[in-house]
Amino acid sequence: MQKTCSFRVNGLVQGVFFRQSTQQQAKLLGVTGWVRNRSDGCVEGQATGDEKMLKTLRAWLNHGPAMATVLKLEWKETELQRFDGFCIRLS
């Protein structure tokens, strides 16, 4: 069953390839959606996939890429949305 979740990651998550690494992880898992930097220094996005793959992505987001320091991950299920692939948004 497909679900959509929104997420927000706080910490040292900009300038450490967090968006690119998230996109890579999502594509490996077959998850669609998007990710972007916010002006407040966090990274946010939405992801659609089956429950198992979303759980795996959530676990990865809790630590991110090697240079990142994740202090807090907010994750919540939202209304189902369909996306074409997983993209990095600029705004």
Side-chain angles (χ1 to χ4, degrees):
M1 183 172 163
Q2 295 275 302
K3 294 182 176 185
T4 299
C5 293
S6 63
F7 59 89
R8 181 182 226 166
V9 188
N10 294 288
L12 177 59
V13 293
Q14 291 190 14
V16 294
F17 301 101
F18 203 98
R19 292 174 301 159
Q20 295 86 344
S21 298
T22 301
Q23 181 185 46
Q24 182 180 31
Q25 288 298 314
K27 286 182 175 183
L28 286 172
L29 294 168
V31 172
T32 61
W34 57 269
V35 64
R36 70 178 169 198
N37 284 341
R38 289 181 42 100
S39 61
D40 64 2
C42 75
V43 169
E44 73 174 350
Q46 287 192 314
T48 297
D50 69 39
E51 193 168 347
K52 181 180 178 185
M53 297 308 159
L54 289 174
K55 185 177 180 179
T56 302
L57 180 63
R58 181 180 182 174
W60 183 86
L61 287 168
N62 269 307
H63 61 79
M67 293 174 37
T69 302
V70 175
L71 299 177
K72 181 178 178 185
L73 170 64
E74 298 172 38
W75 178 275
K76 67 178 180 178
E77 189 172 334
T78 60
E79 184 178 331
L80 181 64
Q81 294 187 47
R82 305 282 182 196
F83 301 101
D84 239 359
F86 196 95
C87 69
I88 296 172
R89 292 187 177 174
L90 299 178
S91 61

